[in-house]
């Protein structure tokens, strides 16, 4: 059984002075099950949306006038799905998935880890392989907020033995690809408190997990050592974080800025419609 959820994602940027102009794009609109979605930008400017190469909804906007701050509020109501049971049959990856088998700077691992990933596939089907790799990552990397940065690679997270959800997703994706399974990096939101009452706003968080191909795309959340279910809201998919940042842009102005992010998730009740997770 899925949930009906409201997500509010507010990003506030303060520049160290006056920005003369800025050019931005957002990836904050859920990928499926969307009942309503809106984006408000301050200063008020027109926005337009398009679908990127990976199928993610992108909201783009320019601020052509001088401004000292920028605030973006994305609010969506969405229906999620419960965990899926893997099918027994397995279909080989289509050639179009070749990109999702390749290393990227953020998911690459060294020869030793590459070999370790391959050994996880010996005598196992794709689902068992994916679970073994997920367990390998969670046993090695301790979840520790603030221990790494946006540019930390999968190999660095393994060597450090600590990281955040982004690092664990990069590492899992890299090992899945090394084992021969196409893998996607997924970004979205997580409702952290399933016991919260209906209508109770909860401080949520942006979150990252993975999907692997075994005749269909199946998700795993290595940070929480679990399958992905009704508490997860999918927003974007790609090769790694560089394909899915919630806010990306450039500006003309002072060299420094500060960013403050607030995510609030509210469970509204059970899902009433059936929307496939894609």
């Amino acid at each position: 059984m899925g949930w009906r959820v409201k997500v509010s994602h507010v990003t506030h940027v303060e520049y160290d002075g006056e920005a003369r102009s800025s050019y931005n794009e957002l990836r904050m609109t859920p990928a499926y099950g969307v009942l309503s979605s809106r984006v408000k930008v301050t200063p008020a400017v027109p926005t337009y949306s398009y679908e990127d190469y990976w199928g993610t909804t992108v909201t783009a906007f320019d601020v052509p006038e001088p401004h000292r701050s920028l605030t973006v509020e994305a609010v969506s109501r969405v229906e999620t799905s419960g965990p899926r049971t893997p099918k027994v049959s397995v279909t080989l990856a289509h050639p179009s998935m070749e990109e999702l088998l390749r290393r990227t700077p953020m998911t690459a691992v060294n020869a030793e880890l590459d070999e370790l990933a391959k050994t996880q596939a010996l005598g196992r089907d794709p689902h068992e392989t994916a679970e073994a790799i997920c367990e390998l990552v969670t046993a090695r990397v301790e979840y520790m907020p603030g221990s790494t940065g946006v540019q930390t690679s999968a190999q660095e997270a393994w060597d450090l033995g600590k990281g955040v959800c982004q690092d664990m997703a990069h590492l899992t994706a890299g090992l899945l690809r090394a084992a021969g399974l196409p893998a996607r990096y997924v970004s979205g939101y997580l409702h952290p408190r399933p016991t919260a009452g209906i209508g109770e706003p909860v401080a949520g968080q942006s979150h990252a997990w993975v999907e692997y191909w075994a005749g269909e795309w199946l998700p795993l959340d290595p940070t929480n050592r679990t399958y992905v279910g009704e508490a997860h809201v999918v927003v974007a998919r790609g090769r790694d974080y560089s394909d899915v940042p919630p806010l990306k842009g450039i500006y003309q102005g002072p060299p420094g800025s500060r960013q403050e992010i607030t995510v609030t998730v509210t469970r509204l009740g059970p899902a009433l419609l059936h929307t496939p997770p894609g």
Side-chain angles (χ1 to χ4, degrees), residues 3-6 191-203 264-270:
W3 292 353
R4 183 165 286 196
V5 175
K6 177 183 176 181
H191 190 303
R193 196 149 57 83
T195 57
I198 301 298
E200 179 184 349
V202 174
T264 305
V265 187
T266 307
R267 185 181 177 190
L268 302 177

Side-chain angles (χ1 to χ4, degrees), residues 126-150:
H127 309 305
E128 293 168 338
T129 300
E131 289 183 10
I133 285 174
C134 188
E135 290 174 4
L136 197 68
V137 170
T138 56
R140 170 70 182 191
V141 181
E142 179 185 2
Y143 178 72
M144 189 177 294
S147 59
T148 55
V150 175

Side-chain angles (χ1 to χ4, degrees), residues 107-177:
T107 62
V109 294
N110 62 23
E112 182 181 354
L113 271 186
D114 190 278
E115 188 59 33
L116 180 61
K118 288 180 171 63
T119 64
Q120 305 307 305
L122 298 177
R124 294 184 170 121
D125 66 29
H127 309 305
E128 293 168 338
T129 300
E131 289 183 10
I133 285 174
C134 188
E135 290 174 4
L136 197 68
V137 170
T138 56
R140 170 70 182 191
V141 181
E142 179 185 2
Y143 178 72
M144 189 177 294
S147 59
T148 55
V150 175
Q151 298 303 321
T152 301
S153 69
Q155 185 65 52
E156 288 170 334
W158 177 273
D159 294 340
L160 285 170
K162 57 187 176 182
V164 295
C165 60
Q166 174 182 302
D167 305 307
M168 298 175 87
H170 279 147
L171 180 56
T172 303
L175 295 174
L176 286 168
R177 292 169 188 169

